[in-house]
Amino acid sequence: MEVVLTASSEGAARLLADAIEALVRRRPDAVLGLATGSSPLLTYRELVDRHRRGSGPSYARVRAFLLDEYVGLPGSHPQSYRATIERDLTSHLDIDPRNVHAPDGAAEDLADAGRHYDAAIAAAGGVDLQVLGIGTDGHLAFNEPGSSLASRTRLKTLTSRTREDNSRFFARPDDVPRHVLTQGLGTILEAGHLALVASGHSKSGAVAAAVEGPLTASCPASVLQLHPHATVLVDEEAGSQLQRRDYYRETYEDKPPWQGL
Ligand code: GLP
């Protein structure tokens, strides 16, 4: 995998925005995999700013699939991931809202909703570029430690740590849903390009475990090691526990000619 260390999280966001725009220019009906949470927010802001200024591509034919969704929150709830991605990104682009998909966390039959979601991704031709964040416990999407590395979109129970991490978005800690529908690690691995973005000290242990630790269900993000085209974009703080920092810097600086991520 390629590890890119940037001096600031803004630098990482610009690189990821460049990669997304290059894909959409190359393939106007590209399938984007979108993550919610704080990690990709600067990237989304960059895309929206460029789109507003007229320097970004058109997203009119782009399709988008979210990684995960809370169970028990209607899509209209402000903290549902569907509402979040609309607020943070898609409502500011010219993407057709009908082409923005999320797992149906309000479905009566959640197992069926998971299967249906995987089928919808496959019917769209698969995700071209998947944006990812990482949990402080190494989770990817909502695949908590112990998740099968071959898992598909399904119901998961959140750990108390993840619920605590996400309680900042809710009025009371107890309001954080206990269950989610999340793309599986096997589902995520089918995307053409995985781009994980992380910033800040709180992510440094999880980033080091994912990039340099063993491939293990105990750190679900380590599954990136199995993917032929995975990029990890970290600022200095999130990358501070990586042992091979100097090597990653050299590799990145030596990349001749610069061809994007
Ligand atoms: C969340 C999401 C993930 C996200 C991760 C990190 O709970 N389900 O998709 O990548 O945990 O969140 P954040 O970026 O807010 O730190």
Side-chain angles (χ1 to χ4, degrees):
M1 80 181 82
E2 180 172 44
V3 181
V4 183
L5 283 154
T6 56
S8 67
S9 44
E10 285 80 6
R14 278 193 294 273
L15 287 175
L16 183 50
D18 288 347
I20 292 170
E21 290 190 341
L23 166 67
V24 173
R25 286 202 172 90
R26 200 165 63 240
R27 200 177 155 199
D29 65 345
V31 179
L32 296 180
L34 300 175
T36 43
S38 313
S39 306
L41 278 182
L42 286 174
T43 303
Y44 295 161
R45 205 167 296 159
E46 186 72 27
L47 290 173
V48 169
D49 283 351
R50 293 180 190 184
H51 188 71
R52 283 202 178 122
R53 287 200 303 269
S55 63
S58 169
Y59 295 82
R61 293 175 55 208
V62 164
R63 283 89 38 88
F65 287 85
L66 279 186
L67 276 176
D68 41 21
E69 182 58 284
Y70 288 117
V71 165
L73 296 187
S76 55
H77 188 288
Q79 291 313 326
S80 74
Y81 280 171
R82 174 176 279 285
T84 301
I85 202 70
E86 275 173 26
R87 196 168 54 238
D88 292 341
L89 180 68
T90 57
S91 67
H92 308 288
L93 304 175
D94 61 342
I95 189 168
D96 183 340
R98 288 170 304 183
N99 285 337
V100 181
H101 306 278
D104 183 3
E108 247 172 58
D109 185 337
L110 291 163
D112 190 56
R115 281 190 292 271
H116 182 264
Y117 199 63
D118 279 341
I121 294 172
V127 169
D128 292 305
L129 190 160
Q130 177 64 58
V131 177
L132 295 164
I134 185 170
T136 56
D137 61 0
H139 74 226
L140 206 56
F142 270 136
N143 293 282
E144 297 285 25
S147 291
S148 155
L149 302 183
S151 47
R152 313 298 306 176
T153 302
R154 72 215 180 290
L155 179 69
K156 282 296 284 184
T157 303
L158 296 181
T159 61
S160 47
R161 181 165 174 188
T162 298
R163 292 186 67 235
E164 203 178 301
D165 283 350
N166 285 7
S167 63
R168 66 191 191 278
F169 299 114
F170 292 83
R172 288 181 305 264
D174 249 12
D175 292 347
V176 184
R178 290 176 187 279
H179 298 103
V180 293
L181 258 189
T182 180
Q183 282 191 34
L185 295 170
T187 316
I188 293 168
L189 281 177
E190 286 170 2
H193 180 192
L194 303 181
L196 185 146
V197 63
S199 60
H201 274 301
S202 66
K203 299 294 174 72
S204 60
V207 166
V211 174
E212 296 179 340
L215 172 65
T216 168
S218 296
C219 177
S222 66
V223 80
L224 261 68
Q225 297 175 24
L226 284 176
H227 197 278
H229 189 187
T231 308
V232 175
L233 295 137
V234 288
D235 66 3
E236 288 292 341
E237 294 180 344
S240 60
Q241 291 193 51
L242 289 167
Q243 300 296 315
R244 293 191 285 269
R245 281 197 304 282
D246 291 343
Y247 173 69
Y248 303 135
R249 282 201 194 91
E250 280 165 30
T251 318
Y252 178 72
E253 281 158 13
D254 284 357
K255 202 171 168 182
W258 174 249
Q259 291 179 336
L261 300 176

